[in-house]
Amino acid sequence: MAGENLTTMASFTLSGFANHPELQVVLSLIFLFIYFFTVMGNLGLIILIKIDSQLHTPMYLFLSNLAFIDISYSSTITPKALDDFQSKQKNISFVGCFVQMYFFVGLVCSECFLLGSMAYDRYVAICNPLLYSIAMNQKVCIWLSIMPYVVGFNNSLITVCVISNLSFCNSTIDHFFCDTTALLAISCHDSFNTEMVIFLLAGFTLLSSLGIITVSYVAIISAILKIRSTEGQRKAFSTCASHLLGVTIFYGSLIFTYLQPDNTSFLTEAQIASVFYTIVIPMLNPLIYSLRNKDVKNALMRVIHKKMFPH
């Protein structure tokens, strides 16, 4: 079948969960519920960190950036998915598809590197507490907050450029958003070079960010084991337990989704994993970082107390 390039194909069709029309209403309600709590939870966390002076530390600067990323990439995917649940056409324009891919890939890559920045912050706090204020000064914190976006969106720009040069035999994307693997699956000609570029970019993102996290936690665990008292070990580990849980869930779902064998029988599992890390994890992060964090809970109580007893 002859391929169509970007100039001749007007739009794509996101088939997604179209094979299960009986689930459209249920999925629509579930997605809406999760998206509402994602936005409210992450936005509430950002506002709380902003208004409570005791949370004006590097750790919570990174956490507010993580909340912003979660709102952003959930908003890149979920509203369109909700619209498709109510529509028979389920179309997305060429430009809209690649814009969605650009922001999604950029934000996911940014989150990978931001999690690395957070791991480094915990490393300095636990392994070099006396030098923390110097090592994590304002300039360093700003740099560690901005660089994840710079690297992430540069990777995304390259990804979009190489995929947009492909020709496509089919306008139906078997996914609920414009994912890289779903677009590669409908490419007409040999996309080996494109796949290699994407593989190298994804490998760099995963290996470098996971490398930073792994090295940081090896040093952290080593430092914690040197603490003589059990209570001291518990307090030290509790400062990074939430981050470690968030990292495990996020990277676990990413690896499960994108390191599947090239086989259509794995498509359903990959779609479920995609739902998890694109829609569910952004909702879970505020819970992980607040319910397990005494500082956030205390800050929330202070804000509530001030509102109820202003004088």
Side-chain angles (χ1 to χ4, degrees), residues 243-259:
H243 177 256
L244 189 57
L245 178 61
V247 166
T248 302
I249 296 173
F250 180 73
Y251 278 97
S253 58
L254 275 181
I255 291 170
F256 180 84
T257 303
Y258 293 108
L259 294 186

Side-chain angles (χ1 to χ4, degrees), residues 8 13 15 20 56 58 75 89 99-100 111 135 151 164 168 195-196 206 208 248 254 258 262 267 281 286 305:
T8 59
T13 299
S15 63
H20 304 281
H56 293 175
S75 297
Q89 299 298 324
V99 168
Q100 184 187 62
E111 180 157 339
V151 178
S164 65
F168 302 98
E195 290 177 16
M196 284 302 300
L206 286 173
S208 57
T248 302
L254 275 181
Y258 293 108
D262 186 17
L267 184 59
I281 289 180
H305 188 268

Side-chain angles (χ1 to χ4, degrees), residues 12-16 80 84 90-92 173 175-178:
F12 289 116
T13 299
L14 296 170
S15 63
K80 176 58 180 171
D84 287 342
K90 306 183 189 304
N91 289 339
I92 184 170
I173 300 174
H175 215 316
F176 64 94
F177 69 99
C178 290

